[in-house]
Amino acid sequence: MKIKTATKPGLYADGGGLYLQITAAGVKSWLFRYMRNGKARGMGLGPLHTIGLAEARAFALDCRRQLLADVDPIDARNAERMSKRVAQADEMTFEQCASKYIKAHRAGWKNAKHADQWTNTLKTYAYPVFDSLPVSAIDTPLVMKVLEPIWTAKTETASRIRGRIESVLDWATVQRYRAGENPARLKGHLDKLLPKRSRVQKVTHHPAMPYADISEFMEILRAEQGVAARALEFLILTATRTNEVIGAKWDELDAERTVWIIPAERMKMRKEHRVPLSARAVELIKVQETLREGDYLFPGAKYGKSLSNMAMLELLKRMGSHHFTVHGFRSTFRDWAGETTNAPREVCEAALAHGLKDKAEAAYARGDLFEKRITLMQQWADFIGATA
């Protein structure tokens, strides 16, 4: 009768940790309260309209028995639910999970090409091995079957595939399609089965022009006509990347056209990068401003489109410098800065928008050393003979 007539919000003890709980809205339900490792916990047993007093007392008795056996009732219930979810997910394959993972993360990736790389590499190497097996059945031997054939011959590709498999399996675990440790994790697991990347992978660098030859090259480059030539010169002057230059927009420049602010979403490190512009870089911008079409500093052939990401590389080939890469000019700049100037290492790295590898050092490096980089970038422009 008390259970039926009680209306005041609060907890009503029945004994043995069982309580009738009445909310401010008048909803009645059963609650089992207990202490575990010095902390109070509460486990809902169901609403009064479904679970009667006798059944609630029986549930509470089961909980007390679990506690006597040193089993946490809430943890036991969660584990049981997980097992049922995994059992019900037998038809959810790795490929289906990967597809859902890619769809969920596509918006956060820089471009569609990244999503295509995920899909293509998994389709080529992982799906044929995992076949139509449920994701809960993916184990270490299956992961090794994917990686071992390519770990030595295609180390970089294999490493990326391992990371992608690990991410998909982590997603599947959080979604409760599988349980247990991730068989694709590297540290403390696969690193015991696979040789270190440094032992099997040949380090290849982007072919870079020696800094002693850059002045002569710049003289030839300035004689070239076209947007690609101006874009390449601007890239060399600013020591930036191809995508950063071809995606440069007029609204990224300050009013005086002396600072280029690349937004975080266009940077590899996802951090805004301020680029001090040398006198010659400013001159290039002024030239482009007289030919301004649309939003881009270096527009493509079609109105409203940026320059192609292959345009500068094709220019190098036409100039007979096909053995060098566009990205390699960043290495040229870094070699020059390290070997011929007194600029501190952190200033040189900041000019390239590189993050500091030492985490402790990075924690204290709050600024971007902009004032010091102004001098460094003008010295670079002077060195390469960048005059109009």
Side-chain angles (χ1 to χ4, degrees):
M1 289 299 296
K2 185 176 181 181
I3 291 171
K4 290 182 179 179
T5 58
T7 58
K8 184 179 179 180
L11 295 175
Y12 297 83
D14 182 66
L18 179 63
Y19 290 81
L20 175 68
Q21 178 177 247
I22 303 179
T23 68
V27 178
K28 298 179 180 180
S29 62
W30 297 105
L31 181 69
F32 179 72
R33 302 181 73 189
Y34 61 98
M35 296 294 293
R36 183 71 173 171
N37 297 324
K39 294 183 178 181
R41 303 199 76 181
M43 178 178 175
L45 301 180
L48 177 63
H49 61 68
T50 303
I51 306 297
L53 176 59
E55 194 173 3
R57 286 173 174 170
F59 284 159
L61 177 60
D62 288 340
C63 290
R64 291 194 295 272
R65 285 172 175 167
Q66 287 179 312
L67 288 169
L68 284 174
D70 197 28
V71 175
D72 189 303
I74 293 178
D75 292 345
R77 182 173 66 180
N78 290 342
E80 182 180 1
R81 288 175 177 176
M82 171 71 84
S83 297
K84 288 181 179 179
R85 182 70 181 271
V86 170
Q88 293 169 356
D90 281 348
E91 298 305 315
M92 180 62 78
T93 66
F94 177 87
E95 183 174 350
Q96 289 172 324
C97 288
S99 178
K100 289 179 177 292
Y101 177 91
I102 293 170
K103 183 178 180 180
H105 289 80
R106 184 184 295 271
W109 288 333
K110 291 184 178 180
N111 50 54
K113 185 179 179 181
H114 190 63
D116 291 340
Q117 289 172 340
W118 264 73
T119 301
N120 293 335
T121 54
L122 291 177
K123 183 178 180 180
T124 301
Y125 300 102
Y127 296 165
V129 174
F130 297 157
D131 196 24
S132 57
L133 288 171
V135 70
S136 57
I138 305 302
D139 56 12
T140 302
L142 281 171
V143 175
M144 287 294 291
K145 191 174 180 180
V146 174
L147 299 178
E148 277 188 313
I150 58 174
W151 189 257
T152 300
K154 302 178 180 179
T155 310
E156 182 64 32
T157 299
S159 179
R160 291 179 180 178
I161 292 170
R162 185 211 61 77
R164 289 165 185 170
I165 293 173
E166 182 181 20
S167 295
V168 172
L169 294 181
D170 276 343
W171 179 90
T173 300
V174 173
Q175 294 288 341
R176 299 185 179 181
Y177 294 131
R178 59 173 288 113
E181 295 290 338
N182 193 320
R185 73 186 188 278
L186 184 64
K187 192 173 182 180
H189 187 57
L190 292 184
D191 59 354
K192 309 302 179 186
L193 303 175
L194 295 165
K196 290 184 178 180
R197 286 179 56 183
S198 58
R199 299 285 180 86
V200 296
Q201 183 179 21
K202 294 181 179 179
V203 179
T204 56
H205 299 286
H206 292 280
M209 181 177 294
Y211 64 82
D213 299 335
I214 190 70
S215 296
E216 181 180 352
F217 172 80
M218 290 297 285
E219 186 176 349
I220 299 172
L221 176 61
R222 287 196 299 273
E224 290 286 330
Q225 300 297 314
V227 178
R230 301 293 73 80
L232 180 57
E233 184 179 358
F234 189 76
L235 177 144
I236 296 170
L237 285 165
T238 55
T240 47
R241 301 177 177 89
T242 296
N243 287 334
E244 294 160 8
V245 169
I246 64 175
K249 294 184 176 181
W250 290 105
D251 61 7
E252 294 175 1
L253 299 170
D254 71 342
E256 289 75 29
R257 306 298 200 229
T258 58
V259 182
W260 173 27
I261 304 174
I262 310 176
E265 59 267 21
R266 293 210 304 108
M267 292 299 298
K268 182 178 181 180
M269 300 297 291
R270 293 287 183 170
K271 182 179 179 181
E272 181 183 275
H273 182 47
R274 294 193 299 166
V275 183
L277 299 176
S278 64
R280 174 55 181 168
V282 172
E283 288 177 12
L284 279 175
I285 289 174
K286 290 180 178 178
V287 170
Q288 289 303 112
E289 201 156 18
T290 62
L291 306 171
R292 183 169 176 174
E293 293 181 7
D295 296 331
Y296 293 101
L297 268 67
F298 304 102
K302 293 184 179 179
Y303 182 81
K305 298 291 185 179
S306 65
L307 190 67
S308 165
N309 63 353
M310 292 297 291
M312 289 183 280
L313 183 60
E314 291 299 322
L315 173 63
L316 281 177
K317 292 179 181 178
R318 291 197 302 272
M319 293 174 65
S321 299
H322 56 276
H323 45 293
F324 298 124
T325 65
V326 175
H327 194 84
F329 286 107
R330 284 166 56 83
S331 296
T332 303
F333 166 80
R334 187 62 181 88
D335 291 343
W336 164 83
E339 296 182 22
T340 70
T341 76
N342 294 321
R345 177 181 64 86
E346 58 269 23
V347 175
C348 300
E349 292 300 297
L352 293 168
H354 282 167
L356 295 174
K357 293 182 179 180
D358 188 299
K359 292 183 178 179
E361 184 181 1
Y364 289 97
R366 302 296 176 87
D368 62 359
L369 303 170
F370 185 78
E371 294 301 322
K372 293 183 178 180
R373 289 193 286 118
I374 292 176
T375 301
L376 179 64
M377 300 315 291
Q378 186 57 54
Q379 288 177 333
W380 171 238
D382 294 339
F383 175 80
I384 61 180
T387 57

